């Protein structure tokens, strides 16, 4: 018996499927090479390197369609840049990113907010057809005195909804609330539109920046940014910058989305910077405002005021919905039978040793009831 245990240790340390001795074979289940798959049931190999093990479980490869499909290691990703359906035949837990359309910049001075940004893991999704809605970007204000349009909501069926970004205000107008708020008009007493619609954790978005006296618009809030409040100008005729968006690696690479739009105003060659993540720059005397980047949920830049004939504000960027799931769905806890591949003995054996290492995954296993071993 001591020799058998020593051989078992050597086999484990060297990750050997089988280890032969004189008139004895040590079969240590490191991988499927030692398993008779036809006579074993629910054998699920887990672990890695020297910590490999078998557990009772089943492995299912779900079928799911919808969006642009890519893979990242063990995961399959469905990216929706337009509305459609996510259709899956297996209930599964998924990770999600749902970004609404960004708000549009107003027709004078002020910028639109980033679309609502909601993300999370462990969402239980049933086997069904699930409607996906991708919100459009809000329209830019048509000219002087025109409020920027609110972005469209994005949703993952009835599970998750993100609110469209708020539109920017014009002088004397009120910026709208949204996933992130639109930037304020050019008065220090005029606050930006509210963000964080719904009070979600993590937050969905942030408020737009406050304007200053002197025709300088506040930057719009960023969607879900950790410091995404629109940047308030430091002085008269200084345009606010859009708040930063948020980075996500749900597709396998880090991408920042849902930046706020930059404020526009008089007295500057260019408007405020768009927030990282696709926010559009605000307009100035030397350039028109820039739209938010498509499928980032970013805000559009605000235009300068009537000095340029009432240039229209820029539109917000459209949203996006991304679903990340395991390509193979594994369910543990099933009854397990492991049978070794037959090995021909050199002579008729009279004894055999069976060494079993067991760890209870749940409850308490009883030998000869829950755990049974046979040698033939």
């Amino acid at each position: 018996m001591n020799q058998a245990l020593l051989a078992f240790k050597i086999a484990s340390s060297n990750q050997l499927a089988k280890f032969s001795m004189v008139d004895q074979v040590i079969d240590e289940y490191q991988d499927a090479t030692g398993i008779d798959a036809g006579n074993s049931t629910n054998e699920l190999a887990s672990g890695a390197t020297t910590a490999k093990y078998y557990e009772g479980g089943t492995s299912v490869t779900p079928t799911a369609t919808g969006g642009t499909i890519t893979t990242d290691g063990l995961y399959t990703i469905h990216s929706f840049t337009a509305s459609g359906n996510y259709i899956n035949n297996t209930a599964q837990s998924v990770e999600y990113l749902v970004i609404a359309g960004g708000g549009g910049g107003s027709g004078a001075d002020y910028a639109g907010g980033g679309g609502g940004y909601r993300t999370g893991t462990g969402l239980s999704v049933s086997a069904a057809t699930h409607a996906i809605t991708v919100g459009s970007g809000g329209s830019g204000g048509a000219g002087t005195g025109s409020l920027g349009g609110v972005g469209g909501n994005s949703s993952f069926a009835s599970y998750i909804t993100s609110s469209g970004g708020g539109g920017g205000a014009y002088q004397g107008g009120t910026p709208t609330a949204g996933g992130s708020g639109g930037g304020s008009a050019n008065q220090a007493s005029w606050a930006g539109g509210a963000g964080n619609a719904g009070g979600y954790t993590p937050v969905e978005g942030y408020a737009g920046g406050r304007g200053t006296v002197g025709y300088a618009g506040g930057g719009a809030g960023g969607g879900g940014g950790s410091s995404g409040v629109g940047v308030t100008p430091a002085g008269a005729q200084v345009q606010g910058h859009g708040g930063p968006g948020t980075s996500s690696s749900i597709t396998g690479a880090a991408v920042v989305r849902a930046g706020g739009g930059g404020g526009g105003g008089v007295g500057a060659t260019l408007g405020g910077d768009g927030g990282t993540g696709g926010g559009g720059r605000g307009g100035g005397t030397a350039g028109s405002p820039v739209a938010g980047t498509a499928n980032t949920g970013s805000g559009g830049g605000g235009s300068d005021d009537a000095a340029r004939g009432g240039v229209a504000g820029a539109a917000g960027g459209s949203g996006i919905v991304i679903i990340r799931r395991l390509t193979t769905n594994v369910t543990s806890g099933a009854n397990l039978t492991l049978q070794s591949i037959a090995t021909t003995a050199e002579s008729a054996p009279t004894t055999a040793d069976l060494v079993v290492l067991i760890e209870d995954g749940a409850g308490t296993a009883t030998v000869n009831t829950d755990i049974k071993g046979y040698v033939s």
Side-chain angles (χ1 to χ4, degrees):
M1 184 64 177
N2 289 337
Q3 286 182 316
L5 286 173
L6 178 60
F8 183 82
K9 180 179 179 180
I10 293 173
S12 299
S13 298
N14 292 280
Q15 300 184 61
L16 303 175
K18 286 190 175 183
F19 183 78
S20 297
M21 301 170 63
V22 177
D23 287 334
Q24 189 172 36
V25 173
I26 304 298
D27 191 351
E28 206 264 337
Y29 297 105
Q30 286 284 349
D31 54 40
T33 58
I35 302 299
D36 182 349
N39 290 298
S40 299
T41 58
N42 294 331
E43 68 276 14
L44 185 63
S46 300
T49 63
T50 57
K52 292 180 179 178
Y53 61 93
Y54 270 91
E55 62 178 325
T58 56
S59 176
V60 177
T61 301
T63 298
T65 60
T68 300
I69 299 175
T70 56
T71 59
D72 176 37
L74 300 176
Y75 295 89
T76 296
I77 298 103
H78 299 254
S79 299
F80 291 84
T81 55
S83 299
N85 290 310
Y86 174 68
I87 306 172
N88 60 320
N89 68 348
T90 304
Q92 200 170 11
S93 179
V94 304
E95 181 179 355
Y96 62 88
L97 175 63
V98 180
I99 303 179
S106 74
D109 301 340
Y110 322 110
Y117 188 112
R118 295 191 60 192
T119 187
T121 60
L123 177 66
S124 296
V125 176
S126 63
T129 297
H130 306 280
I132 302 295
T133 300
V134 175
S136 58
S139 59
T144 300
S146 299
L147 186 69
V150 176
N153 293 350
S154 290
S155 62
F156 179 7
S158 60
Y159 297 112
I160 302 293
T161 298
S162 289
S163 304
Y170 54 89
Q171 185 176 1
T174 302
T176 52
S180 289
S184 167
N186 61 322
Q187 290 291 336
S189 60
W190 296 340
N196 195 24
Y200 302 110
T201 301
V203 298
E204 185 179 8
Y206 289 83
R210 188 182 293 270
T212 62
V213 177
Y215 303 99
S226 58
S227 58
V229 178
V231 179
T232 298
Q237 298 185 349
V238 179
Q239 289 69 39
H241 303 302
T246 299
S247 178
S248 170
S249 298
I250 191 170
T251 57
V255 179
V256 180
R257 302 178 179 88
V266 175
T269 303
L270 295 173
D273 295 334
T276 54
R281 175 185 286 276
T285 58
S288 298
V290 177
T293 303
N295 297 125
T296 65
S298 50
S303 78
D304 63 338
D305 82 347
R308 292 189 65 220
V311 175
S318 55
I320 192 168
V321 175
I322 302 175
I323 300 165
R324 178 183 175 96
R325 63 178 178 85
L326 280 168
T327 302
T328 301
N329 206 28
V330 176
T331 302
S332 61
N335 291 333
L336 165 69
T337 301
L338 279 179
Q339 182 161 319
S340 174
I341 292 175
T343 301
T344 303
E346 295 179 5
S347 58
T350 58
T351 59
D353 302 318
L354 178 63
V355 179
V356 182
L357 303 179
I358 298 291
E359 180 176 329
D360 293 330
T364 302
T366 302
V367 176
N368 291 327
T369 300
D370 303 299
I371 303 171
K372 298 179 181 180
Y374 303 90
V375 178
S376 64

